[in-house]
């Protein structure tokens, strides 16, 4: 039985999938998005957070069975409310074995969402995607160089996993964090629209407007927030790019 | 809302009506003393002189009238404040409206004849009749003034109500406004409005059917009525402004058990949402099968951040009241007093917040004395039990000696007081006494922490714990850490803590049941609310074993202790579903704060509505859901002028944030910091 590091198990995360859900936040992410508002999710290790005068360790070791037991104890309630469980992060693919073990122990009636940046090996991605009912797939930038510049990694494996996902015909939602002047350009949005249009399984695209409080948590995690873009620039909420490609789009 | 109503709301918010206020109330005490009047006569004289002293206010465009001009309630006893008068109950508005004050006068005259040989009853009935006449005379003065001003519509209405049964929804609202205001004028406070959608629907339904009113006309009238309830609240007595008990109960079942939800239920929810003021406080009765659509409508109100509706679960409350001796039909008719205490309109002279079981204080003494005496954990629990028993007995003894001052006008509006020739103060069908069960989560956490560290794991020595408590944890940081951060906490669906919580309420219920029913006259009802005791006790109790330092606030109502992180609302509901509510029926809600970010999604309203349904399905009793934006609160503290209309829930009531005392502001901010 595997164990892993989790930085939060939060109930009533209603924006993380259908119905009432509990979200498991797995610690560790291979990306370093400049706008990340969960900086405590980046490092794979437990770390000290200092906020408002109190110190606490973020990131705790759990056995897969412990997590499954806790989720299963609420399975009836989650199911009665059209919901279930979401695995998010950080990046769940970084602890794919652990996540797989949890899922295998979960009450079969629970609806499961994998919320991923898509950044992981093909086999890890396949292993988890096959086990969940729905995938929330974050797409940031189509341009490879820009992707490297703003997230620290190449987007090749991500796009590759996206294609694999559509071959599965697993329902999925594309989520785009709208970051002013970075991801919200017409160019990027229409490139994303063209990439996803017509993919089997695509439910819709969610645009997530920029959260100005993004930088708030960095100092308490002992990190520096250095966005490298103008946070206060007017957001380009261009949904026409998607309408043109007949992709269903929502602003969350 | 139309423009006129928006203007009216603004004017009420600016308290422009204050310009009508008189300098001082009539001097009633001198007259009472001169004549050495009885309590009954004093009460009747109070309402009479108050009605005479009122000056008529009819503002342009106003369609439901009555504005208070007397700035406060004059004394009628040299040694007692008028705020000791009967309060926090609810009249039988259905009966009062349908009979009209003349109908009540006839009933009183009848009874006067029957009881003519009974001096006590005769005096009461004479006083009841005098107070009815006083209110009718005031209505007649209003009618006359309206006539002179050319407001024939108002004149015509006031010639009919509150004397007779209303002929329309509009008249029903006017009649209610008049009688309700008269109770405040007579010195009563926390005057409840009861099951408004039930007693008002007859009038509205008839008008909608006959075409006298369209739905939108009705909404405008309703909006005006609700705005008018906010008018005189600055002269209403309460712990803080806003704490005035103008509560409405919606929905639920009828006396025969059938579904009571009607179009007015929904209309009230919509209109209150659009009006967006602190009164009336809305309560909604639901059950495990309540329609999700209705819950969505109610949730839209929650998302407005007014701090209501508060929900009560019929599946739990009705059987609990029955178990406490209420007839099933009456139990089905329950409403709430000012905050959350369950009462039966017209049939309850309950003192619902007579005293408070101070759980943290009792538990703290049990822990300190038990550790000092070398007790086992069971020994400590036994001390808790004894402490609760003793407090309950003490409260019961005090209560047995209490005497309520007579209330002839309130009696007119209650069931059977007139008919039986007995004033409300000598009792009606239900006369129970309610005791809050305050700060239960903090107290349970203290027990759970001691059990874990002193008795199970043996990693804190009893003597060290005592020393740490005495030192307010100064120099005992490691012990404090263990107790605070490495102990089971109420609100996480963890039996180690939750079993302490249920034990406290079991002891509390045992203690009350042991006291019996006092020859069928009254029982003591245990509750789960805290009112303001989470603040009051903070300095009264030193450091406590859950890792709290002296001066820090305790948990409020049914909510996890402040400053601890819980898994979330589902676990909180699971925790609180473990209490045996059949044995605790005085009310006291699970209190949860939602961040307004919850409502950014289109389907979030539906999901929050599902959470409310889950509350009912899990068998919890009462729920208060509040929405707020933490940053906005902080900004309001720094720049009150920018947030004059910011409304927050305080405990059983909502108020304007900027009008609260600083300690209440601070507590509200602290609560929202841990919002879900
Ligand atoms: S992928 Fe998500 S968690 Fe990882 S760095 Fe980017 S925003 Fe943060």
């Amino acid at each position: 039985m595997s164990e892993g590091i989790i930085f939060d198990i939060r109930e009533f995360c209603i924006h993380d999938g259908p119905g009432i859900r509990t979200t498991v936040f797995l610690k560790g992410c291979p990306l370093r998005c400049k706008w990340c508002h969960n900086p405590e999710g980046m490092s794979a290790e437990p770390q000290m957070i200092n906020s408002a005068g109190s110190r606490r360790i973020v990131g705790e070791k759990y056995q897969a069975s412990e997590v499954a037991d806790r989720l299963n104890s609420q399975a009836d309630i989650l199911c009665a409310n059209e919901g279930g469980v979401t695995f998010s992060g950080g990046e769940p693919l970084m602890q794919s074995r652990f996540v797989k073990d949890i899922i295998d122990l979960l009450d079969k009636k629970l609806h499961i969402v994998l919320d991923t940046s898509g950044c992981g090996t093909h086999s890890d991605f396949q292993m988890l995607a096959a086990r969940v009912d729905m995938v929330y797939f974050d797409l940031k930038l189509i341009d490879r160089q820009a992707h490297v510049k703003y997230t620290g990694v190449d987007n090749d494996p991500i796009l590759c996993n996206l294609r694999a996902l559509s071959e599965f015909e697993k329902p999925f939602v594309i989520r785009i964090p709208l970051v002013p002047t970075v991801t919200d350009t017409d160019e990027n949005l229409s490139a994303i629209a063209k990439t996803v249009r017509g993919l089997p399984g695509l439910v819709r695209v969610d645009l997530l407007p920029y959260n100005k409080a993004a930088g708030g948590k960095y100092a308490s995690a002992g990190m520096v927030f250095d966005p490298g873009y103008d946070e206060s620039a007017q957001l380009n909420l261009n949904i026409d790019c998607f309408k043109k490609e007949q992709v269903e789009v929502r602003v969350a | 809302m139309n423009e006129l109503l928006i203007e009216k709301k603004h004017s009420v918010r600016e308290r422009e009506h204050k310009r009508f206020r008189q300098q001082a109330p009539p001097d009633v005490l001198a007259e009472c003393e001169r004549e050495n009047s009885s309590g009954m006569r004093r009460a009747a004289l109070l309402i009479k002189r108050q009605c005479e002293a009122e000056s008529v206010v009819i503002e342009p465009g106003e369609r439901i009238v009555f504005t208070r001009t007397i700035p406060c309630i004059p004394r009628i006893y040299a040694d007692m404040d008028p705020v000791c008068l009967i309060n926090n109950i609810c009249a039988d508005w259905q009966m009062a409206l349908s009979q009209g004050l003349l109908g009540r006068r006839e009933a009183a005259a009848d009874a006067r004849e029957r009881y003519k040989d009974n001096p006590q009853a005769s005096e009461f009935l004479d006083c009841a009749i005098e107070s009815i006449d006083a209110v009718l005379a005031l209505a007649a003065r209003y009618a006359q003034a309206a006539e002179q001003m050319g407001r024939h519509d108002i004149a015509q209405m006031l010639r009919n109500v509150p004397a007779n049964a209303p002929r329309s929804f509009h008249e029903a609202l006017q009649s209610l406004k008049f009688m309700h205001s008269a109770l405040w004028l007579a010195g009563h406070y926390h005057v409840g409005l009861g099951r408004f959608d039930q007693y008002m629907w007859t009038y509205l339904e008839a008008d909608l059917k006959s075409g006298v009113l369209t739905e939108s006309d009705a909404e405008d009238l309703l909006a005006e009525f609700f705005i008018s309830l906010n008018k005189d609240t600055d002269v209403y007595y309460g712990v803080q402004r806003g704490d005035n008990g103008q509560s409405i109960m919606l929905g639920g079942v009828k006396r025969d058990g059938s579904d009571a939800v009607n179009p007015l239920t929904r209309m009230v929810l919509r209109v209150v949402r659009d009006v967006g003021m602190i009164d009336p406080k809305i309560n909604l009765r639901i059950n495990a099968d309540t329609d999700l659509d209705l819950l969505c409508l109610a949730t839209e109100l929650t998302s407005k951040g007014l701090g209501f509706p508060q929900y009560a679960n019929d599946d739990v409350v009705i059987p609990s009241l029955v178990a406490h001796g209420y007839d099933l039909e009456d139990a089905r008719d329950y409403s709430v007093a000012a905050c959350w205490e369950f009462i039966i309109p017209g049939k309850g002279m309950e003192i619902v917040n007579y005293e408070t079981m101070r759980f943290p204080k009792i538990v703290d003494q049990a822990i300190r004395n038990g550790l000092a005496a070398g007790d086992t954990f069971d020994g400590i629990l036994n001390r808790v039990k004894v402490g609760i028993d003793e407090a309950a007995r003490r409260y019961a003894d005090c209560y047995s000696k209490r005497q309520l001052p007579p209330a002839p006008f309130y009696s007119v509006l209650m069931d059977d007081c007139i008919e039986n020739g007995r004033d409300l103060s000598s009792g009606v069908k239900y006369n129970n006494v309610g005791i809050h069960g305050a700060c239960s989560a903090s107290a349970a956490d203290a027990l759970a922490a001691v059990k874990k560290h002193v008795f199970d794991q043996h990693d804190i020595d009893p003597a060290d714990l005592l020393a740490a408590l005495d030192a307010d944890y100064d120099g005992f940081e490691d012990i404090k850490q263990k107790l605070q951060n490495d102990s089971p906490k109420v609100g996480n669906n963890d039996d180690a803590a939750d079993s302490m919580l249920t034990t406290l309420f079991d002891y509390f219920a045992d203690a009350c049941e042991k006291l019996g029913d006092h020859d069928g006259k009254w029982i003591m009802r245990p509750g789960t609310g805290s009112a303001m005791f989470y603040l009051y006790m903070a300095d009264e109790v030193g450091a406590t074993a859950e890792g709290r330092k002296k001066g820090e606030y305790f948990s409020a109502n049914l909510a996890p202790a402040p400053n601890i992180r819980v898994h979330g609302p589902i676990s909180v509901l699971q925790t609180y579903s473990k209490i045996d509510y059949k044995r605790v029926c005085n009310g006291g809600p699970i209190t949860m704060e939602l961040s307004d970010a919850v409502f950014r999604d289109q389907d979030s309203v539906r999901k929050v509505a599902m959470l409310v349904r889950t509350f009912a399905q899990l068998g919890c009793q009462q729920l208060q859901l509040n929405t707020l934006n933490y940053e906005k609160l902080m900004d309001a503290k720094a720049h009150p002028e920018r947030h004059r209309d910011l409304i927050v829930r305080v405990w059983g009531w909502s108020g304007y944030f900027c009008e609260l005392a600083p300690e209440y502001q601070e507590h509200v901010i602290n609560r929202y910091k841990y919002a879900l």
Side-chain angles (χ1 to χ4, degrees):
Chain A
M1 178 58 53
S2 61
E3 52 182 34
I5 310 277
I6 286 173
F7 71 92
D8 207 356
I9 301 178
R10 210 179 303 149
E11 297 168 357
F12 203 62
C13 288
I14 60 175
H15 305 304
D16 292 352
I20 295 185
R21 318 191 67 80
T22 296
T23 299
V24 179
F25 293 89
L26 292 131
K27 205 155 157 32
C29 182
L31 279 71
R32 289 291 174 268
C33 305
K34 300 255 185 220
W35 53 82
C36 180
H37 59 272
N38 265 339
E40 73 272 36
M42 287 180 178
S43 149
E45 297 303 318
Q47 73 197 98
M48 186 65 82
I49 299 281
N50 288 297
S51 74
S54 81
R55 287 153 63 82
R56 61 190 180 94
I57 303 264
V58 168
E60 217 182 309
K61 200 174 272 177
Y62 282 87
Q63 301 291 325
S65 57
E66 260 179 280
V67 182
D69 286 350
R70 188 154 133 198
L71 296 171
N72 285 338
S73 74
Q74 300 186 330
D76 289 345
I77 297 172
L78 298 173
C79 294
N81 292 302
E82 303 162 14
V85 172
T86 297
F87 291 93
S88 180
E91 172 51 62
L93 291 177
M94 269 186 89
Q95 302 189 53
S96 55
R97 174 82 215 181
F98 176 52
V99 176
K100 171 197 162 288
D101 286 344
I102 300 173
I103 294 176
D104 288 346
L105 292 169
L106 286 182
D107 193 319
K108 291 292 164 269
K109 62 178 184 282
L110 279 168
H111 178 274
I112 305 173
V113 170
L114 174 68
D115 177 11
T116 176
S117 67
C119 185
T121 67
H122 188 63
S123 60
D124 282 346
F125 185 78
Q126 290 245 329
M127 175 170 78
L128 293 191
R131 283 176 164 73
V132 303
D133 300 285
M134 195 173 197
V135 175
Y136 271 32
F137 199 105
D138 292 4
L139 262 191
K140 286 120 185 163
L141 289 156
I142 294 294
D143 181 83
R144 194 162 158 185
Q145 249 113 55
H147 200 276
V148 173
K149 176 171 174 204
Y150 285 104
T151 75
V153 303
D154 191 330
N155 61 5
D156 223 32
I158 295 175
L159 295 172
C160 185
N161 280 331
L162 177 62
R163 276 189 295 276
L165 177 60
S166 66
E167 278 157 28
F168 264 38
E169 299 197 23
K170 184 80 53 183
F172 68 96
V173 174
I174 293 290
R175 306 225 291 176
I176 309 173
L178 285 185
V179 180
T181 72
V182 181
T183 64
D184 73 338
T185 61
D186 288 349
E187 204 186 347
N188 184 48
L189 294 179
S190 37
I192 294 180
K194 289 202 172 75
T195 310
V196 303
R197 113 188 114 186
L199 288 183
L202 175 66
V203 178
R204 59 166 200 274
V205 168
D206 280 350
L207 301 179
L208 314 172
Y210 188 71
N211 174 2
K212 284 222 180 69
K217 292 189 192 165
Y218 280 70
S220 46
M223 295 158 74
V224 180
F225 182 60
D226 174 23
Y229 51 86
D230 180 5
E231 274 199 287
S232 54
Q234 178 73 32
L235 213 53
N236 178 30
L237 265 178
N238 188 350
I239 54 172
D240 291 340
C241 300
F242 297 93
K243 291 204 169 138
K244 210 157 67 197
E245 303 295 339
Q246 275 152 14
V247 171
E248 195 186 322
V249 62
R250 256 200 218 171
V251 179
Chain B
M1 280 207 300
N2 61 41
E3 242 161 73
L4 209 68
L5 287 168
I6 293 171
E7 216 173 280
K8 180 133 195 74
K9 171 182 168 179
H10 182 74
S11 148
V12 168
R13 249 329 257 144
E14 295 302 321
R15 303 200 187 285
E16 285 171 2
H17 52 275
K18 275 175 107 165
R19 67 183 187 279
F20 300 116
R21 294 261 163 85
Q22 305 178 32
Q23 291 296 313
D27 182 357
V28 188
L29 182 60
E31 201 177 341
C32 294
E33 297 287 284
R34 213 165 39 239
E35 320 223 323
N36 197 16
S37 315
S38 66
M40 189 66 75
R41 289 248 155 252
R42 283 170 197 244
L45 193 66
L46 173 64
I47 186 164
K48 183 157 187 244
R49 294 285 176 253
Q50 288 276 85
C51 285
E52 288 165 356
E54 268 304 341
S55 34
V56 174
V57 177
I58 300 172
E59 293 188 77
E62 205 171 39
R63 296 195 298 165
I64 295 168
V65 297
F66 188 78
T67 298
R68 181 82 171 256
T69 68
I70 301 173
C72 59
I73 307 297
R75 277 175 178 261
I76 50 172
Y77 301 100
D79 54 353
M80 195 171 87
D81 208 43
V83 299
C84 297
L85 297 183
I86 283 174
N87 64 76
N88 220 355
I89 57 168
C90 183
D92 184 345
W93 293 116
Q94 195 242 313
M95 178 275 290
L97 283 169
S98 62
Q99 293 191 16
L101 287 179
L102 280 183
R104 297 308 288 149
R105 197 182 190 284
E106 252 169 59
D110 258 15
R112 178 70 177 81
E113 184 52 33
R114 269 185 287 123
Y115 288 104
K116 59 177 182 291
D117 300 328
N118 177 335
Q120 213 181 340
S122 299
E123 185 187 43
F124 159 61
L125 292 164
D126 286 342
C127 287
I129 290 170
E130 276 169 34
S131 55
I132 290 172
D133 290 345
V135 176
L136 288 176
L138 177 57
R141 274 203 293 130
Y142 257 86
Q144 205 178 4
E147 201 75 73
Q148 281 162 4
M149 291 165 71
R151 289 297 305 272
H152 304 295
D153 53 333
I154 300 276
Q156 213 185 5
M157 270 204 301
L158 286 169
R159 293 241 153 77
N160 188 48
V161 293
N164 305 297
R167 294 167 299 194
S168 65
F169 181 58
H170 190 174
E171 283 195 0
L173 291 170
Q174 177 62 73
S175 186
L176 179 62
K177 173 73 188 163
F178 224 90
M179 291 191 279
H180 181 251
S181 304
L183 283 174
W184 284 100
L185 210 52
H188 302 290
Y189 67 97
H190 286 169
V191 183
L193 290 157
R195 303 188 69 187
F196 184 85
D197 59 342
Q198 302 305 300
Y199 61 77
M200 278 292 175
W201 173 235
T202 335
Y203 304 104
L204 178 56
E205 189 182 23
D207 283 5
L208 290 174
K209 263 199 191 132
S210 69
V212 173
L213 282 183
T214 64
E215 197 157 315
S216 111
D217 298 335
E219 287 182 359
D220 285 349
L221 282 170
L222 202 52
E224 181 168 344
F225 177 73
F226 290 158
I227 293 170
S228 82
L229 288 178
N230 287 274
K231 209 181 223 178
D232 299 321
T233 51
D234 58 321
V235 292
Y236 290 175
Y237 172 79
V239 175
Q240 287 267 297
R241 184 181 292 175
D243 171 26
N244 54 44
Q246 303 194 98
S247 303
I248 279 182
M249 178 57 92
L250 300 172
V253 293
K254 296 181 187 164
R255 291 178 66 81
D256 63 8
S258 61
D259 188 3
V261 174
N262 61 42
L264 182 55
T265 316
R266 293 172 197 272
M267 190 185 285
V268 171
L269 289 170
R270 283 197 306 270
V271 171
V272 164
R273 176 194 64 195
D274 296 345
V275 167
M277 299 184 83
I278 59 172
D279 277 298
K281 330 286 186 211
I282 300 298
N283 289 264
L284 179 63
R285 285 171 46 174
I286 62 171
N287 61 49
D289 300 318
T290 296
D291 195 23
L292 203 55
D293 281 352
L294 180 67
L295 297 179
C296 284
L297 184 56
T299 302
E300 279 175 33
L301 185 52
T302 298
S303 74
K304 279 283 201 167
L306 306 171
F308 43 71
Q310 172 171 266
Y311 298 93
N313 183 2
D314 277 5
D315 293 341
V316 173
V317 177
I318 295 171
S320 175
L321 287 169
V322 170
H324 284 80
Y326 292 75
D327 290 345
L328 178 60
E329 289 213 317
D330 292 337
R332 286 178 180 147
D333 215 11
Y334 77 89
S335 178
V336 285
C339 296
W340 46 65
E341 304 87 346
F342 305 113
I343 53 170
I344 317 300
K347 295 187 172 60
M349 180 52 260
E350 329 252 31
I351 313 280
V352 291
N353 52 6
Y354 182 68
E355 255 297 356
T356 299
M357 191 57 74
R358 293 155 168 82
F359 284 132
K361 201 169 179 173
I362 292 171
V363 164
D364 181 56
Q365 273 161 6
I367 288 173
R368 288 177 193 242
N369 296 340
L371 291 180
D375 280 5
T376 59
F377 186 69
D378 283 344
I380 291 180
L381 281 184
N382 195 50
R383 285 176 194 268
V384 173
K385 188 174 178 55
V386 170
I388 290 175
D389 275 345
E390 279 172 359
R393 172 146 317 277
R394 213 166 48 240
Y395 300 154
D397 287 347
C398 278
Y399 184 74
S400 312
K401 294 183 201 110
R402 74 127 194 24
Q403 223 183 348
L404 289 172
F409 185 63
Y410 223 142
S411 303
V412 168
L413 307 178
M414 300 291 283
D415 293 355
D416 301 331
C417 291
I418 294 292
E419 286 71 7
N420 294 338
R422 280 164 57 103
D423 184 83
L424 176 57
S425 59
S426 60
V428 285
K429 189 167 181 184
Y430 304 109
N431 308 289
N432 301 318
V433 51
I435 309 288
H436 292 307
C439 317
S440 50
S442 295
D445 287 350
L447 287 169
V450 168
K451 180 168 191 299
K452 173 171 177 175
H453 293 289
V454 178
F455 293 95
D456 295 346
Q457 287 184 188
H458 303 286
D459 56 5
I460 296 180
D461 184 75
D464 291 344
L465 178 53
L466 279 173
L469 290 174
D470 282 341
D472 201 18
Y473 293 112
D474 269 352
F476 293 90
E477 227 3 83
D478 50 332
I479 290 189
K480 183 174 186 298
Q481 276 294 327
K482 273 188 200 158
L483 297 168
Q484 199 168 24
N485 299 327
D486 184 24
S487 298
K489 300 288 173 189
V490 166
N492 278 327
N493 190 23
D494 174 352
D495 278 331
D498 297 348
S499 63
M500 297 299 146
L501 179 81
T502 53
T503 299
L504 288 175
F505 284 112
D506 285 344
Y507 288 170
F508 189 12
D510 290 342
C512 293
E513 284 163 21
K514 250 188 275 175
L515 292 168
D517 70 354
H518 306 87
D519 303 323
K521 288 204 209 81
W522 59 273
I523 54 160
M524 193 178 265
R525 306 193 326 186
T528 47
S530 295
M532 55 291 189
F533 281 86
Y534 56 86
L535 299 177
Y536 281 10
M537 268 193 293
D539 286 318
E540 214 178 288
V541 183
T544 41
E546 72 275 26
R548 170 194 148 278
K549 283 168 78 88
K550 183 175 183 187
E552 287 174 7
Y553 301 147
F554 289 103
S555 60
N557 302 329
L558 294 183
N563 309 329
I564 66 157
R565 302 172 76 85
V566 291
H567 303 330
I570 308 287
S571 293
V572 170
L573 292 178
Q574 285 178 308
T575 282
Y576 286 115
S577 71
K578 295 173 190 171
I579 294 176
D580 184 358
Y581 292 107
K582 208 166 186 171
R583 302 183 69 204
V584 286
C585 76
N586 200 54
I590 299 171
T591 309
M592 285 190 192
E593 331 297 335
L594 297 175
S595 151
D596 65 352
V598 162
F599 290 101
R600 65 163 199 253
D601 245 7
Q602 288 146 333
D603 24 273
S604 55
V605 165
R606 194 155 173 277
K607 293 184 187 181
V608 174
M610 289 196 285
L611 181 69
V612 173
R613 189 178 60 183
T614 303
F615 143 83
Q617 287 172 344
L618 286 175
C620 300
Q621 188 181 52
Q622 205 168 23
L623 174 70
Q624 189 184 294
L625 266 185
N626 313 316
T627 308
L628 224 110
N629 177 315
Y630 178 64
E631 281 73 38
K632 204 190 263 180
L633 279 178
M634 295 304 284
D635 199 54
K637 183 118 181 113
H639 310 283
E641 69 288 352
R642 288 189 206 153
H643 299 276
R644 287 202 51 240
D645 286 334
L646 179 61
I647 291 172
V648 292
R649 184 80 173 187
V650 186
W651 59 87
W653 48 278
S654 301
Y656 292 101
F657 180 78
C658 301
E659 294 175 1
L660 297 175
E663 65 269 29
Y664 289 99
Q665 290 186 337
E666 195 188 315
H667 188 266
V668 167
I669 288 178
N670 203 42
R671 266 180 17 218
Y672 284 107
K673 203 154 75 184
Y674 290 86
L676 304 165

